[in-house]
Amino acid sequence: MNLTLHVWRQAGPDDAGAFETYRAEDISDSMSFLDMLDLVNEDLTRKGKEPIAFEHDCREGICGSCGMMINGVAHGPERLITACQLHMRSFKDGDEIWIEPFRATAFPVMRDLVVDRNSFDRVIQAGGYISVRTGSAQDANATPIPKRDADRAFDAAACIGCGACVAACPNASAMLFTAAKVAHLSYLPQGQAERLERALGMASQHDAEGFGNCTNHGACQEACPKGISVDYIARLNRDVLKGTLNKAVGTPD
Amino acid sequence: MELNARIPDHPIDRMWERHRFDMKLVNPANKRRYQVIVVGTGLAGGAAAATMGELGYQVKAFTFHDSPRRAHSIAAQGGINAAKNYQGDGDSVYRLFYDTVKGGDFRSREANVYRLAELSLNIIDQAVAQGVPFAREYGGLLANRSFGGAQVSRTFYARGQTGQQLLLGAYQALERQVQAGTVQMNVRSEMLDVIVVDGRARGIVTRDLVTGRIEAHMADAVVLGTGGYSNAFFLSTNAMGCNVTATWRAHRRGAGFANPCFTQIHPTCIPQSGEYQGKLTLMSESLRNDGRIWVPKEPGDTRAAAAIPDSERDYYLERLYPSFGNLTPRDIASRRAKEMVDSGHGVGPMRNGVYLDFRDAIQRLGKAAVAERYGNLFQMYEKITGEDPYDVPMRIYPAPHYTMGGLWVDYDLMTTVPGLFAIGEANFSDHGANRLGASALMQGLADGYFIIPLTIGNYLADAPKMDVGVDHPAARDAVREVTDTQERLLAVKGNRTVDSFHQELGRILWDHCGMARTEAGLREALQKIPELRERFWKEVLVPGSGATLNQSLEKAGRVADFLEFAEVMCWDALTRDESCGAHYRVEHTTEEGEAKRDDENFAHGAVWEFKGVGEEPVRHREPLHFEHVPLSQRSYK
């Protein structure tokens, strides 16, 4: 198939940026979307032009590097996959495709489709862990964890930190990302000791980074390649509220 | 080059414990006076940086990714081994040790492997304490499954995303130390050289991938956790960014490179679908627990799988290896698949795969139970191929996946350059000539959490404390050399893309240094590689400048290093005139078609010394002694 691509090109953070149009020719169904971009880039390079910068690494939907808006949708038209897992059989000959970076105040564009997502790391630094020193753990089977809780923790922990939730949200909120980590650790007995402090710390860092608040659109859940549920945001809010109240009135004995 | 493995003189089952007592300690107040550089923040590097930070060292960590959470460890699917014996099926530290030495076809160091098996216990405890959501049984205890090369169930897993969950555990521990101020994290920062002062590693040179700034960073010791080099083959299951640059640069500065020809070809990957493809996708080996591998008995049979009755199918692994069946080690499963395809039994549109069939598992366990175990893998497969594995069997074929070779290290994980350490896949230590499934995560974390944080103290306590700044002549020279190389790459302005050279190199290596190797083929490769390298430096086209985010330039530097490294891979394969594990020399085959070792002449690790680009490197040996696992022909019949 032959396609017309409109790709966001931006030389650096301070550049205004604009769409440029390219042809992608002889594209086969079984190619991945990124294989297709590779092909376009090879062609641009041979013509002495700078290829389109985009992030990618594992190309199997787990590293969270790739992320771009494809026709206005984070990771493109198929649900529950990342851009690298999208295959060209989802498109047809003659299609026009608009490709843009994830846009959010907390994700400044570095070049073309590459954005800076280190705000996510700083949210994790604000409490997204269990404080356990290496070597101080008890036997792994000492505390049985009901399978249901372990499964729920896993569902939340499946987040790959790609930022699609932020890009999809009209408020550019990262509540789904933050809630997923808070929920993962809060379902586990090991995570209880720091539970409320963690929620408060991460939520406050989330706001400090310039992510917006959640107004229950649910666009994040739709865009999430791992299907992480907005229910976790309710859980985050509950823990934040509880933590705030405890702080205000003191923890009951 | 002196190769002293410094194996402590204690009985193997007390060795690590006694060594920990014998090692010198740096007292807590002094630790903060030492700076340690960690390059790579995957399972090994991330765990090492976090733990050394906890201990009080000043750690400077570097990754070329935008975040430590992107490291390729994240893509490991199947699981992590540990000799917990939670299943009560007769497992023990000794059995895991035994299986790993045997699985590695007797080309690993017993002392290191024993320690790995011992530490496997602590890793699971540590990961669970961090909140890693391993699979559990209804009673709330941890679940296990079995993996290739083992007859016990000792593999812990988190659906098909075990690497992701373990990496996130290490990442979280690391970010906690960043917050505590003990680890300074440098992202989008690629290491391009090691700085050696008076024979000791004292720093690195990096390029800031955003601004292009090339600079020196100094420290009292340098730890490389920079992964493996499967991408030398161009097409592999490794992430696109994986490269040999860090370890190759260390090698050029004097670190011996051990067994570079020991490269693992993973049996269960999705076959290539076209020439355009830049990467292959792995399907976890855990699928072999319940999937049955077969090809049509009749060569050239193009009927759909369902139309071929059982009597006309060849379940060749079950036929050839009745006791291990579909769970034979990776090298054997890969080689047999290649034989089937080469002899015309291949399936799929390009006739380049074998079937991995879940029909019987679905009948036995029900679709829901199969989905519970492998759901995300099936989904991944369907997205890529457009075929639903619940209905039609998967097609698989071997692909380069993991490299057992790496920088030579002693028992303390130190390379031949004092103060330079290598951990995880970047070193050569534990897997011999073939790695068993679910052992890479185990090794990365053992090295990172439990070994290097202690052995580095033993080095630092003894090393002369020198104040060496970034203005030291060695640092300035290294920065200048890196800058020169980059400028040369940009100045070629030829007419061929970096990828086209990488692809060509990959084809040479796959054809001559891949799953089956011959003397003639390797000699041919040794002729072609320098020619290709020469053309690269005349014809490569790297657009853009060095002063911006320039992904073509990043790739060009990595491919330039692969073009040097590929030669030593072939030298190693040529001079190891035997077959062992994943290294299969066609000339050395048993009557049953298995790899035929030559223990009299090759029971050693081959360690290469760099003599200059294009110069024949020098081969050294570390003799291997097998006192606990008697040398024997591997049999999985």
Side-chain angles (χ1 to χ4, degrees), chain B residues 524-557:
Chain B
E524 194 182 324
L526 281 168
Q527 207 163 18
K528 284 180 167 170
I529 295 164
E531 287 167 14
L532 183 64
R533 188 170 58 231
E534 204 170 307
R535 275 190 283 132
F536 174 85
W537 282 101
K538 280 184 191 151
E539 296 169 19
V540 75
L541 172 57
V542 184
S545 90
T548 58
L549 198 162
N550 185 339
Q551 293 173 325
S552 306
L553 180 62
E554 294 165 26
K555 258 196 297 198

Side-chain angles (χ1 to χ4, degrees), chain B residues 267-282:
Chain B
T268 52
C269 305
I270 301 178
Q272 198 180 355
S273 64
E275 278 301 312
Y276 50 79
Q277 220 169 321
K279 169 164 189 304
L280 298 173
T281 304
L282 175 81

Side-chain angles (χ1 to χ4, degrees), chain B residues 163-219:
Chain B
Q164 180 201 24
Q165 294 306 321
L166 289 169
L167 181 66
L168 292 180
Y171 161 72
Q172 288 164 205
L174 177 61
E175 294 298 353
R176 176 172 166 247
Q177 293 308 306
V178 172
Q179 181 80 351
T182 61
V183 177
Q184 180 206 94
M185 189 66 228
N186 300 273
V187 298
R188 296 188 194 274
S189 190
E190 180 164 23
M191 177 199 130
L192 295 174
D193 211 347
V194 180
I195 298 165
V196 180
V197 178
D198 297 334
R200 291 173 187 269
R202 296 306 310 268
I204 60 170
V205 178
T206 60
R207 176 171 184 270
D208 181 318
L209 300 183
V210 181
T211 63
R213 190 180 149 81
I214 294 170
E215 60 186 339
H217 305 268
M218 310 309 286

Side-chain angles (χ1 to χ4, degrees), chain B residues 365-580:
Chain B
L365 305 162
K367 193 171 166 178
V370 171
E372 166 83 10
R373 286 182 197 175
Y374 310 111
N376 66 316
L377 299 171
F378 279 31
Q379 182 217 14
M380 184 196 275
Y381 181 86
E382 191 191 352
K383 294 292 175 198
I384 293 172
T385 61
E387 292 171 358
D388 180 1
Y390 292 104
D391 294 333
V392 287
M394 285 184 178
R395 289 174 291 112
I396 54 164
Y397 195 64
H401 166 65
Y402 184 90
T403 53
M404 284 73 69
L407 293 178
W408 182 89
V409 289
D410 64 12
Y411 188 73
D412 282 355
L413 306 182
M414 188 159 81
T415 68
T416 54
V417 176
L420 180 66
F421 295 78
I423 56 178
E425 192 179 354
N427 75 27
F428 90 118
S429 77
D430 296 334
H431 307 297
N434 176 55
R435 179 174 67 76
L436 291 180
S439 293
L441 301 179
M442 172 172 71
Q443 187 223 336
L445 291 178
D447 289 1
Y449 282 132
F450 298 108
I451 302 173
I452 195 79
L454 299 180
T455 58
I456 205 146
N458 194 36
Y459 168 77
L460 292 171
D462 248 359
K465 184 81 183 144
M466 301 182 284
D467 274 323
V468 183
V470 293
D471 51 356
H472 188 281
R476 287 215 300 254
D477 286 352
V479 167
R480 195 175 51 240
E481 280 177 44
V482 168
T483 311
D484 287 351
T485 307
Q486 181 177 300
E487 278 167 8
R488 275 172 61 213
L489 283 168
L490 288 161
V492 179
K493 293 195 193 306
N495 52 17
R496 273 186 66 179
T497 63
V498 175
D499 274 353
S500 76
F501 283 102
H502 194 181
Q503 219 162 1
E504 194 173 337
L505 174 68
R507 217 168 295 130
I508 295 173
L509 288 177
W510 182 247
D511 287 348
H512 301 301
C513 198
M515 256 191 291
R517 302 156 173 185
T518 64
E519 185 185 340
L522 289 162
R523 289 200 185 280
E524 194 182 324
L526 281 168
Q527 207 163 18
K528 284 180 167 170
I529 295 164
E531 287 167 14
L532 183 64
R533 188 170 58 231
E534 204 170 307
R535 275 190 283 132
F536 174 85
W537 282 101
K538 280 184 191 151
E539 296 169 19
V540 75
L541 172 57
V542 184
S545 90
T548 58
L549 198 162
N550 185 339
Q551 293 173 325
S552 306
L553 180 62
E554 294 165 26
K555 258 196 297 198
R558 294 169 194 164
V559 171
D561 287 336
F562 276 131
L563 282 163
E564 293 179 8
F565 169 74
E567 261 184 292
V568 77
M569 228 171 118
C570 294
W571 278 117
D572 192 43
L574 179 68
T575 50
R576 186 169 282 281
D577 196 13
E578 64 159 351
S579 293
C580 58

Side-chain angles (χ1 to χ4, degrees), chain B residues 22 37 41 46 60 78 89-90 147 158 202 221 233 259 301 352 379 391 462 465 470 474 525 560 573 606:
Chain B
D22 293 342
I37 283 174
T41 48
K60 292 197 268 187
D89 56 359
F147 244 66
R202 296 306 310 268
F233 290 101
N259 303 329
D301 189 338
N352 61 350
Q379 182 217 14
D391 294 333
D462 248 359
K465 184 81 183 144
V470 293

Side-chain angles (χ1 to χ4, degrees), chain B residues 116-173:
Chain B
L116 174 67
E118 267 183 302
L119 291 174
S120 70
L121 307 175
N122 305 68
I123 294 168
I124 301 304
D125 298 343
Q126 179 66 22
V128 167
Q130 290 172 339
V132 170
F134 283 122
R136 287 178 184 269
E137 298 163 353
Y138 284 99
L141 301 181
L142 291 158
N144 290 115
R145 58 186 172 202
S146 42
F147 244 66
Q151 286 174 307
V152 292
S153 269
R154 62 159 75 101
T155 304
F156 295 78
Y157 63 101
R159 292 190 203 155
Q161 286 142 265
T162 317
Q164 180 201 24
Q165 294 306 321
L166 289 169
L167 181 66
L168 292 180
Y171 161 72
Q172 288 164 205

